[in-house]
Amino acid sequence: MTKSFPGPAGSHGPSWGRSVWAGLLCLGIIVVFQSPRWWLIVHETPGTFEWDRALSYLRQCAAPLRTDIEAAMRWRFLPQAIVYLLGDSRALALAFPWLGAWAFLAYLYHQGATETGSRRIGWELALLLGCSAPIFVSTGWLGVNDAWIFLGLCYLSFGRRRWLHVLCCLACPLIDERFVFGLPLAFYVRAIARSETGTFGTCVTYLLRTVSLAVLPFLLTRLLFAHARGGGDADRAFLLSSIRTAHVYLWMAPMALWMAWRMAFVPAAEVFVRLTKDRPALGALGGAAALLPVMVGFLLASDTMRTAAVLAPFVVWSAVQWGKDPDKARFLRWLAAANLILPAAQVSYTTIVPINSLPVELWHLLHH
């Protein structure tokens, strides 16, 4: 690769114990500025996005492989199975997405501090990247475990332990299928970040090989469970219905795309332009690995903000590149502050719900 895109800094970074506590503190800071709607969360409120998936999710925690639920949830049963094995605790079931948000923020801090050699930049990166759809959804939508799958995608991009790569590919599709849509970009980022390929041709070969292997567990699991459980017709009907009704909500996709990462798009856009200028073919390949899965995902699911979050590997990598560049690193704190302060919203189907600060949401809670 060119000198503009350095690889890992080689620093040992902070201990994982420190990173765990940093992740918890980052989560607390984000919730202060961008809080869930507690007044809806504390009581079952069917018909809101906070509870739309939660009721089915809680039923699955009592019987993870049940089929009398909506098609979108039939294959997302791994967290529910874990909760079931641990005693089917409602509190644990609802806390599981928050644990994922905590783990994701801890990983972002650790990765940022390790790659840049600066704990301060680690904090700035975690806050900048944490004010995003994976955290908004995992803390604001009950029973939705998005942060876990984006942790898996980022580990595929940056992690070194092969057995954890295998574990991610086995486990994450059973949390949410969006993980599969993020695989091309995750391995693309790994290729350019680790210099595992030097030319366009070798990058294409690398992507075809790694993505095929990573998707294989998902396909085999689907085939095995479809044979054992049936329901293939229901799944096909669900997908066809989603495609037919996509025109109703696709006009919201630009807003959903922006709200997924907001100011974290600034480093991503600059790095993409620079990469494309230096290596046009490699930049075009990255654009295809990012945009094609997102566009297909928009057609198949109305939660467009959640789908746009599959850009995580490139967005995270780009922010880290800024953290390594002294001239750009000084802007990270301002981008992080802007992501905390500027308006944010949950976007689902044709609905936009502003995300308020914790004092505002506590006021709502006390007056409902």
Side-chain angles (χ1 to χ4, degrees):
M1 291 304 300
T2 65
K3 292 181 180 179
S4 300
F5 298 94
S11 168
H12 291 295
S15 67
W16 277 108
R18 178 185 290 272
S19 298
V20 167
W21 287 111
L24 183 61
L25 185 54
C26 284
L27 181 58
I29 293 171
I30 291 169
V31 168
V32 168
F33 285 89
Q34 294 158 349
S35 173
R37 298 195 294 178
W38 299 104
W39 56 283
L40 288 173
I41 286 177
V42 295
H43 303 292
E44 288 191 12
T45 314
T48 64
F49 63 75
E50 284 86 356
W51 282 93
D52 274 347
R53 288 284 184 257
L55 298 177
S56 296
Y57 171 76
L58 291 171
R59 290 168 61 203
Q60 282 180 294
C61 288
L65 298 181
R66 69 191 308 155
T67 58
D68 57 335
I69 53 174
E70 58 266 39
M73 295 289 288
R74 286 166 58 88
W75 299 100
R76 304 171 186 175
F77 55 79
L78 181 59
Q80 296 90 315
I82 293 173
V83 172
Y84 173 77
L85 293 173
L86 293 176
D88 187 20
S89 164
R90 183 184 176 95
L92 176 59
L94 296 178
F96 207 87
W98 282 76
L99 295 175
W102 181 5
F104 186 47
L105 289 169
Y107 184 78
L108 291 175
Y109 168 80
H110 185 84
Q111 183 70 16
T114 300
E115 294 285 313
T116 65
S118 168
R119 292 174 182 172
R120 176 183 61 79
I121 293 178
W123 279 102
E124 293 166 0
L125 288 171
L127 289 173
L128 169 65
L129 298 165
C131 296
S132 60
I135 303 301
F136 293 160
V137 171
S138 296
T139 57
W141 303 30
L142 298 178
V144 180
N145 287 280
D146 280 10
W148 288 109
I149 67 168
F150 295 113
L151 174 60
L153 285 172
C154 287
Y155 192 83
L156 286 181
S157 296
F158 311 115
R160 293 177 171 84
R161 298 183 184 275
R162 296 291 183 182
W163 71 270
L164 284 177
H165 294 173
V166 174
L167 180 61
C168 289
C169 294
L170 289 172
C172 289
L174 300 179
I175 300 174
D176 195 286
E177 300 90 337
R178 284 177 177 83
F179 174 81
V180 176
F181 288 83
L183 288 174
L185 190 59
F187 284 112
Y188 171 82
V189 168
R190 186 172 189 86
I192 58 177
R194 304 292 177 186
S195 298
E196 292 184 10
T197 181
T199 67
F200 176 79
T202 54
C203 187
V204 170
T205 302
Y206 173 77
L207 287 181
L208 289 174
R209 184 179 73 252
T210 52
V211 173
S212 298
L213 289 172
V215 170
L216 189 59
F218 168 73
L219 296 177
L220 291 176
T221 302
R222 278 294 180 103
L223 289 173
L224 290 172
F225 276 94
H227 178 72
R229 299 167 62 188
D233 291 340
D235 292 334
R236 283 190 292 272
F238 170 72
L239 292 177
L240 290 174
S241 174
S242 299
I243 293 171
R244 282 195 294 267
T245 59
H247 68 279
V248 176
Y249 62 81
L250 278 180
W251 64 277
M252 294 287 291
M255 175 65 76
L257 184 65
W258 168 249
M259 286 300 170
W261 295 101
R262 296 183 304 132
M263 298 308 293
F265 275 130
V266 175
E270 190 276 336
V271 169
F272 178 73
V273 169
R274 185 155 45 101
L275 174 62
T276 303
K277 181 179 179 181
D278 291 346
R279 307 282 291 278
L282 206 57
L285 182 62
L291 293 180
L292 290 179
V294 169
M295 292 169 64
V296 173
F298 282 169
L299 287 174
L300 297 179
S302 62
D303 293 335
T304 45
M305 186 181 77
R306 296 175 60 202
T307 300
V310 302
L311 299 173
F314 192 83
V315 173
V316 172
W317 179 69
S318 300
V320 171
Q321 301 315 300
W322 270 41
K324 293 178 181 180
D325 185 335
D327 293 331
K328 295 185 176 69
R330 58 195 177 93
F331 292 106
L332 289 175
R333 69 189 66 180
W334 302 111
L335 292 175
N339 246 10
L340 285 168
I341 296 170
L342 290 177
Q346 304 275 15
V347 181
S348 178
Y349 196 57
T350 59
T351 302
I352 301 176
V353 177
I355 300 174
N356 296 311
S357 66
L358 183 61
V360 172
E361 291 303 334
L362 289 178
W363 184 90
H364 279 300
L365 176 63
L366 293 174
H367 289 80
H368 278 79

